[in-house]
């Protein structure tokens, strides 16, 4: 999986890129640990209401939903193994998952 260096304000983050349905569906499932300055960037073809769950995901995560201009619209916390859908409040083109906190 491709990785990309992202700069968010003064923070540097190495993000695995989840493109395509298969990569987006797997996401960070089954990972035992996520290094402090790493995450996963989900890229969609166009802006839409996005939804995520934590099935088979062991790590507490935060998810940022970004619009097509790469502006963060909101950040939500995700609980390990929770199968409740967490949706973006606004259409988003990108979602970035990182360690919660």
């Amino acid at each position: 999986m491709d990785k990309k260096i992202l700069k968010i304000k003064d923070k540097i983050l190495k993000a695995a890129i989840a493109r395509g349905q298969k990569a987006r569906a797997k996401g960070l499932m089954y990972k035992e640990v996520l290094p402090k300055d790493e995450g996963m960037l989900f890229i969609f073809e166009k802006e839409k209401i996005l939804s995520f769950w934590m099935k088979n995901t062991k790590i507490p995560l935060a998810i940022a939903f970004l619009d097509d201009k790469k502006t963060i619209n909101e950040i939500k916390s995700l609980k390990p193994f929770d199968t409740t859908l967490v949706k973006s409040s606004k259409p988003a083109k990108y979602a970035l998952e990182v360690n919660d906190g």
Side-chain angles (χ1 to χ4, degrees):
M1 189 172 291
D2 292 349
K3 288 199 176 183
K4 185 173 184 119
I5 302 297
L6 305 176
K7 185 173 181 185
I8 303 169
K9 294 193 178 189
D10 62 339
K11 302 283 184 193
I12 301 294
L13 181 74
K14 188 187 316 181
I17 307 298
R19 294 177 209 231
Q21 183 59 34
K22 187 175 179 181
R24 290 191 302 252
K26 183 177 178 192
L28 292 170
M29 284 184 183
Y30 310 108
K31 280 235 178 232
E32 295 289 332
V33 67
L34 182 64
K36 179 183 173 189
D37 295 323
E38 291 191 18
M40 180 167 279
L41 180 65
F42 297 81
I43 302 173
F44 296 85
E45 291 74 32
K46 61 182 180 175
E47 285 187 318
K48 61 182 178 179
I49 298 296
L50 301 179
S51 59
F52 286 76
W53 66 352
M54 293 287 285
K55 182 178 180 180
N56 300 317
T57 306
K58 302 175 182 184
I59 308 161
L61 299 172
I63 188 166
F65 294 105
L66 299 86
D67 62 22
D68 63 353
K69 295 179 182 124
K70 300 180 180 127
T71 301
I72 296 173
N73 290 326
E74 65 186 318
I75 301 172
K76 295 186 176 185
S77 291
L78 304 170
K79 294 178 177 33
F81 301 106
D82 189 355
T83 57
T84 305
L85 288 179
V86 174
K87 295 183 178 187
S88 60
S89 298
K90 299 177 180 179
K93 184 171 180 178
Y94 306 95
L96 178 62
E97 288 182 340
V98 296
N99 287 302
D100 198 13

